[in-house]
Amino acid sequence: MYSPAFYAACTVGGILSCGLTHTAVTPLDLVKCNMQIDPVKYKSISSGFGVLLKEQGIRGFFRGWVPTLLGYSAQGACKFGFYEFFKKYYSDIAGPEYAAKYKTLIYLAGSASAEFIADVALCPFEAVKVRVQTQPGFARGLGDGLPKFVKSEGALGYHAVPTPKDQCSKPLQLGISFAGGYVAGVFCAIVSHPADNLVSFLNNAKGATVGDAVKKLGLWGLFTRGLPLRIVMIGTLTGAQWGIYDAFKVFVGLPTTGGVAPAPAAAELAKV
């Protein structure tokens, strides 16, 4: 635990969990982005799929899958790898007593630090993806987080399960990982949806500002346009990501996420 090999395994698990899941839901993401940009043409989820099928064919459903795969693989590597690192790092700084007492705050700080790095890694790929998906002919091929982690770790705290984590079977632990991730994804989708609408608008409209987006979409539209589809998409994505991530950890012999605070460093233990 907490060796270079541990962090390398977490990084690989993050690549698999985020890269594969986001690529798999590319059709949903494609419809969502176009509903946000052109709600007159893409009135609903079903009609959106119909318009895409008519204009671009089956292949059109996976427009932007390359920047999606590369971008979210990079994001997943940084998100999960650095999250595990910062969670342990801040726990060691706090010491064993305060690490246990302020576990949620430590998770929040760890997720904030990791998400900042992860989003910087994702940003250029996301900009390309939105343009490829909403501007036909822009290019051929290549050429949300904070609340998610805190909410997931809270849900993965096994508060709703009467059995202690160390007495739960691995399949049950993985089921809890998926369920906790799904709940976190729904929460995160609602909280971050206005920002997601802004990303789609600003990446599609050259020279546009946040004020332009608010004026055109309206406050209600900013919070609600495309929200039902995004709730389904992000909830499923986050549940699958935590399930895949913990399944990979189990595969390489590591414990699943949640239930206990990171063990303090040996130097801190020696002081107690």
Side-chain angles (χ1 to χ4, degrees), residues 58-226:
I58 294 295
R59 292 183 61 184
F61 288 146
F62 284 91
R63 284 179 59 84
W65 74 269
V66 176
T68 296
L69 176 62
L70 296 179
Y72 283 97
S73 292
Q75 189 209 40
C78 297
K79 179 186 294 187
F80 284 94
F82 280 111
Y83 175 60
E84 297 286 1
F85 170 79
F86 283 119
K87 189 168 65 172
K88 179 67 166 65
Y89 179 70
Y90 295 146
S91 294
D92 289 345
I93 292 176
E97 180 182 351
Y98 289 110
K101 186 176 180 179
Y102 299 108
K103 181 175 68 173
T104 299
L105 291 178
I106 288 173
Y107 288 171
L108 179 62
S111 66
S113 303
E115 193 68 36
F116 178 84
I117 297 172
D119 287 346
V120 170
L122 169 65
C123 191
F125 296 99
E126 181 72 7
V128 172
K129 177 189 76 70
V130 171
R131 285 176 170 82
V132 169
Q133 291 180 333
T134 61
Q135 299 176 11
F138 170 77
R140 296 181 64 86
L142 178 60
D144 77 218
L146 259 164
K148 184 183 294 183
F149 273 100
V150 174
K151 202 69 178 172
S152 292
E153 285 281 11
L156 293 175
Y158 294 78
H159 303 303
V161 181
T163 306
K165 179 186 174 181
D166 57 1
Q167 296 179 25
C168 294
S169 66
K170 284 297 187 290
L172 177 57
Q173 291 184 31
L174 294 178
I176 293 172
S177 295
F178 177 83
Y182 197 96
V183 172
V186 172
F187 175 82
C188 187
I190 296 171
V191 170
S192 64
H193 193 64
D196 187 70
N197 268 321
L198 286 176
V199 168
S200 295
F201 185 89
L202 295 176
N203 278 307
N204 185 69
K206 185 177 181 180
T209 65
V210 172
D212 295 331
V214 174
K215 183 177 180 180
K216 183 171 182 179
L217 299 175
L219 284 178
W220 179 252
L222 197 63
F223 279 85
T224 61
R225 182 177 292 180

Side-chain angles (χ1 to χ4, degrees), residues 208-251:
T209 65
V210 172
D212 295 331
V214 174
K215 183 177 180 180
K216 183 171 182 179
L217 299 175
L219 284 178
W220 179 252
L222 197 63
F223 279 85
T224 61
R225 182 177 292 180
L227 180 59
L229 177 57
R230 190 159 184 267
I231 286 176
V232 173
M233 187 180 81
I234 300 300
T236 304
L237 269 175
T238 311
Q241 285 171 6
W242 278 102
I244 293 172
Y245 179 63
D246 273 347
F248 181 80
K249 289 175 75 174
V250 170
F251 176 74

